[in-house]
Amino acid sequence: MILSRRHFLHRSALTSAALIGAPAIMRYSALAADNPILLGALHDQSGPLAASGTPMVYALNLAVEEINAAGGLIGRPVKVIHYDTQSNIQMYSQYAQQLALKDKVAVVHGGITSASREAVRPTFDRFKVPYFYNVLYEGGVCDRNTFCTGTTPAQTVEKLVPSAMKKAGKKAYIIAADYNYGQITAKWMTKYVKDNGGEVLSIDFFPLDVTNFGPTISKIQAAKPDLILSALVGGNHTAFYRQWASAGMKSQIPIASTTFGLVNEPSTLDAAESENILGAYGYFEELDTQASKSFVEKIKKAQPNTPYISELAAATYEGVHLWALGVKKAESIDRMKLIEALEGGISFDGPSGKVLIDKATHHTTRNAFLAEVKDRKWSVLESYPDVKPLDTASVCDLVKNPNDTKQYVINL
């Protein structure tokens, strides 16, 4: 639960009453509570991506509660202004302008799809509102106003593809969502297949509203690949995995995915439909560490019916705490002071491990994990510590080019 103004005033008054000079302290506390730091949030709590967005909201709220419980930031509480973007890009554009112009927030955390990020990023650049995109994505964004805290292909796809090829074979068939995440991730999949001596037989793209994969399954059967590499996105695309199993293909051609599990597929699908699917992320709910267990316990205690807690939720929690550390270091919410503080080597030990902001790219050096589905849960197979976001470092250098706002795309 986010601290309300009333709660903050009440707590401050109780504390101050026991101290010498209580009237002055109470006036200061009241002034601080009347002047909260506004944190804007944009997440899909309804629509096809709600199963991903809802845990992100829970994680953001938990981080803000912890920050406020520790005394807030620079003597002020943090207040969340949240909009449900309803899995609708137009809503993202509308609410981004509202946060920047009407609400006048100090920072924004949010977005799930890369399309949503690119719908709001120019708005926050224009109106100089720092933006945190706390989601694994296709990489390449180079923008001093933006911080990308989730994993990139160099941190996960680079681990996933050779592991899948070693298990299944060298001929791959790629299926992906038809927007910039799927299109660019398919390029990275192709790169890593070729880097490991393999061949991509075909690449098929699907709009987010597609639910019928019958024709594609027939094409895959005819192509006879050794493995499927999937970058499908959202609840509608979950239909592929059901139809794949119904066609009798699940036991014949294995699947490795950069997105499977983000809408809770291991528990919503039958075991026969999800068993042995391979995935790589910067966080799994099943991580056997004290930090991860504590994070999961806190969220599920507050929200017993929360969907699966994926990297999206963990990176959101870590992103909010990284921002808070930046404010503390800067002793200000001034945009440039905050950015310079964040570029000064700030790190946070979160549920996924240590997360460090990379100055040149505004991405994070963080742990990566390889896992496969067993009995409708993820079983972590490998851990890769302190992996750098190298896919952007070769082209993005915000130290040399601080005014860059491009997204760089791999050329094959």
Side-chain angles (χ1 to χ4, degrees):
M1 178 178 178
I2 302 302
L3 275 180
S4 66
R5 172 184 169 186
R6 185 176 182 182
H7 182 182
F8 194 86
L9 283 167
H10 178 65
R11 189 181 69 179
S12 298
L14 287 177
T15 303
S16 302
L19 301 174
I20 297 174
I25 295 172
M26 288 174 66
R27 284 196 300 272
Y28 174 79
S29 297
L31 178 63
D34 281 334
N35 189 28
I37 297 173
L38 302 182
L39 183 154
L42 297 172
H43 296 99
D44 301 332
Q45 297 178 76
S46 56
L49 298 176
S52 296
T54 300
M56 295 172 74
V57 174
Y58 297 161
L60 182 143
N61 288 347
L62 173 60
V64 172
E65 287 173 356
E66 291 176 349
I67 291 163
N68 283 335
L73 298 175
I74 54 176
R76 299 164 61 184
V78 177
K79 177 182 177 181
V80 177
I81 297 179
H82 197 280
Y83 293 107
D84 176 8
T85 40
Q86 303 172 42
S87 304
N88 184 312
I89 298 301
Q90 290 183 338
M91 291 289 188
Y92 271 101
S93 298
Q94 174 187 329
Y95 289 140
Q97 291 200 38
Q98 190 157 334
L99 286 172
L101 296 177
K102 181 181 177 181
D103 300 317
K104 298 187 183 302
V105 297
V107 67
V108 174
H109 290 256
I112 297 181
T113 65
S114 293
S116 69
R117 181 197 66 243
E118 291 309 296
V120 302
R121 188 166 65 89
T123 297
F124 299 137
D125 282 351
R126 178 183 178 187
F127 296 110
K128 302 188 184 306
V129 179
Y131 173 49
F132 278 72
Y133 181 60
N134 304 305
V135 176
L136 63 101
Y137 85 113
E138 70 280 359
V141 169
C142 190
D143 185 337
R144 202 174 182 205
N145 193 66
T146 298
F147 292 86
C148 300
T149 67
T151 53
T152 65
Q155 293 167 310
T156 53
V157 184
E158 193 270 342
K159 311 298 183 188
L160 178 68
V161 169
S163 296
M165 290 175 64
K166 184 177 180 180
K167 179 179 179 180
K170 294 186 177 295
K171 294 187 295 181
Y173 196 113
I174 296 173
I175 53 176
D178 193 13
Y179 68 102
N180 50 354
Y181 170 76
Q183 293 160 1
I184 298 171
T185 299
K187 290 177 179 286
W188 285 106
M189 288 176 167
T190 300
K191 168 183 165 53
Y192 292 126
V193 168
K194 292 180 177 179
D195 286 352
N196 288 276
E199 174 189 7
V200 174
L201 302 182
S202 184
I203 304 175
D204 291 352
F205 295 106
F206 305 90
L208 293 177
D209 60 355
V210 168
T211 57
N212 179 13
F213 292 90
T216 296
I217 290 173
S218 296
K219 285 178 61 181
I220 296 172
Q221 289 171 321
K224 298 181 180 179
D226 296 319
L227 75 153
I228 303 296
L229 295 176
S230 168
L232 299 176
V233 173
N236 290 329
H237 284 183
T238 300
F240 169 81
Y241 303 101
R242 291 194 173 99
Q243 293 165 28
W244 183 251
S246 295
M249 299 302 297
K250 179 70 175 58
S251 60
Q252 297 183 39
I253 303 175
I255 299 172
S257 174
T258 61
T259 50
F260 188 85
L262 298 182
V263 288
N264 211 20
E265 292 97 332
S267 63
T268 57
L269 294 174
D270 292 339
E273 296 167 333
S274 63
E275 192 78 359
N276 298 324
I277 290 179
L278 202 64
Y281 294 113
Y283 177 78
F284 289 94
E285 180 181 306
E286 293 85 354
L287 283 182
D288 190 18
T289 65
Q290 187 55 49
S292 176
K293 290 177 181 177
S294 175
F295 173 65
V296 171
E297 181 181 348
K298 288 176 183 177
I299 290 183
K300 292 192 173 181
K301 182 178 180 180
Q303 303 289 344
N305 296 320
T306 185
Y308 181 81
I309 301 171
S310 70
E311 178 185 327
L312 307 187
T316 297
Y317 174 83
E318 292 161 351
V320 174
H321 274 290
L322 285 168
W323 164 75
L325 289 171
V327 172
K328 289 180 179 179
K329 183 176 180 180
E331 298 183 339
S332 172
I333 57 171
D334 175 81
R335 172 178 171 268
M336 283 312 304
K337 289 180 180 178
L338 170 67
I339 290 173
E340 289 169 358
L342 289 166
E343 290 174 339
I346 282 179
S347 66
F348 176 71
D349 291 325
S352 70
K354 183 179 179 180
V355 182
L356 171 69
I357 292 178
D358 177 60
K359 181 177 181 178
T361 66
H362 282 203
H363 287 62
T364 57
T365 296
R366 58 185 305 132
N367 297 337
F369 306 92
L370 179 74
E372 66 178 344
V373 180
K374 291 292 184 183
D375 299 322
R376 303 179 73 192
K377 293 184 179 181
W378 287 104
S379 175
V380 178
L381 305 175
E382 297 285 346
S383 300
Y384 308 94
D386 303 323
V387 186
K388 295 182 179 180
L390 297 178
D391 61 338
T392 54
S394 60
V395 290
C396 177
D397 190 339
L398 291 168
V399 176
K400 292 182 179 179
N401 304 298
N403 296 320
D404 200 347
T405 58
K406 297 177 184 177
Q407 181 178 12
Y408 293 92
V409 178
I410 179 176
N411 290 317
L412 295 175

